[in-house]
Amino acid sequence: AQSVSQHNHHVILSEAASLELGCNYSYGGTVNLFWYVQYPGQHLQLLLKYFSGDPLVKGIKGFEAEFIKSKFSFNLRKPSVQWSDTAEYFCAVNEGKAAGNKLTFGGGTRVLVKP
Amino acid sequence: DAGITQSPRHKVTETGTPVTLRCHQTENHRYMYWYRQDPGHGLRLIHYSYGVKDTDKGEVSDGYSVSRSKTEDFLLTLESATSSQTSVYFCAISVGTKNTEAFFGQGTRLTVV
């Protein structure tokens, strides 16, 4: 079964600092990769996605992620965070139609940005 | 935006009672999912559906059943609620040209006492 690992459970940083969250997945075949964000008390919202093509993908709110196939990684980055980026971030993998288009999630990383 | 409505949004129930959560969508999406969210575990798939009356188990399906008699409704039933089923439950649908992107409902916070 597919597994997704997020290396950091909690991250605390100050405004304007750079953020990088690690994500590794286990499936060796073709995958679709996602980062979701969950602001306090809210549901999950899509931050960005990778299907194919340019391994560097840009999402909303200044976030970007890099797909490195050889490392089974899809790390999330933001050059300069804001207080409003305080949230929990989830990496997810979709194995495609044959697997029911199910998403497998990592355990999440709670990010706290201090003003 | 895809429209998903979960009901109820909050529920407190007693151990041993059956509970049904409802997910309603407005746009005829084929795939629907139930996840539970617990601290440190991210979201874990309970059951999913790939069409009317077509459902399959996820990784944490024990103690749960689902039904989908209409495209727009996907029901999750806790047959006999236990304290370990206290959680936040999210319904999701697959959207996009290849149905690979998930869109989530607002969630249902269930407490079993």
Side-chain angles (χ1 to χ4, degrees):
Chain A
Q2 176 69 260
S3 66
V4 180
S5 299
Q6 292 183 237
H7 314 302
N8 309 97
H9 297 293
H10 293 90
V11 172
I12 302 173
L13 59 168
S14 299
E15 277 192 314
S18 64
L19 173 69
E20 180 160 359
L21 303 181
C23 173
N24 286 93
Y25 61 95
S26 62
Y27 183 61
T30 301
V31 293
N32 300 307
L33 298 159
F34 304 84
W35 277 97
Y36 284 84
V37 60
Q38 185 178 32
Y39 298 104
Q42 296 189 23
H43 64 294
L44 274 75
Q45 302 170 48
L46 181 67
L47 205 51
L48 49 77
K49 59 189 176 186
Y50 173 80
F51 289 169
S52 63
D54 188 344
L56 185 63
V57 293
K58 296 191 183 298
I60 61 171
K61 305 186 180 186
F63 285 90
E64 63 180 30
E66 184 176 13
F67 169 57
I68 303 179
K69 187 175 182 178
S70 61
K71 295 184 178 180
F72 298 92
S73 70
F74 190 54
N75 293 350
L76 181 71
R77 298 194 290 253
K78 185 169 183 178
S80 177
V81 296
Q82 301 173 314
W83 175 79
S84 57
D85 293 322
T86 293
E88 190 160 15
Y89 294 81
F90 296 93
C91 181
V93 173
N94 183 317
E95 297 173 48
K97 186 177 179 180
N101 281 321
K102 297 174 290 186
L103 281 176
T104 301
F105 285 87
T109 300
R110 286 186 183 272
V111 174
L112 173 62
V113 180
K114 294 183 175 180
Chain B
D1 266 359
I4 303 179
T5 304
Q6 290 186 230
S7 58
R9 294 291 313 281
H10 301 270
K11 186 171 181 64
V12 179
T13 192
E14 293 185 349
T15 299
T17 61
V19 177
T20 295
L21 309 182
R22 179 180 183 241
C23 178
H24 177 79
Q25 58 140 329
T26 59
E27 297 188 1
N28 285 331
H29 292 282
R30 179 181 174 190
Y31 294 89
M32 299 184 75
Y33 309 83
W34 277 107
Y35 291 88
R36 61 177 289 174
Q37 183 180 22
D38 304 287
H41 291 278
L43 278 80
R44 293 178 292 174
L45 182 66
I46 306 171
H47 282 279
Y48 69 102
S49 170
Y50 46 95
V52 173
K53 299 191 187 303
D54 292 322
T55 65
D56 205 350
K57 296 178 180 180
E59 64 175 306
V60 291
S61 59
D62 287 349
Y64 301 95
S65 62
V66 289
S67 67
R68 192 166 180 202
S69 58
K70 299 184 292 184
T71 299
E72 58 266 35
D73 289 324
F74 191 32
L75 305 181
L76 176 71
T77 297
L78 287 67
E79 293 143 6
S80 177
T82 67
S83 58
S84 65
Q85 292 176 312
T86 292
S87 187
V88 181
Y89 292 85
F90 286 99
C91 175
I93 57 176
S94 279
V95 298
T97 53
K98 296 184 179 180
N99 287 311
T100 55
E101 179 181 328
F103 183 84
F104 287 84
Q106 298 287 332
T108 295
R109 183 172 294 277
L110 176 68
T111 303
V112 183
V113 298

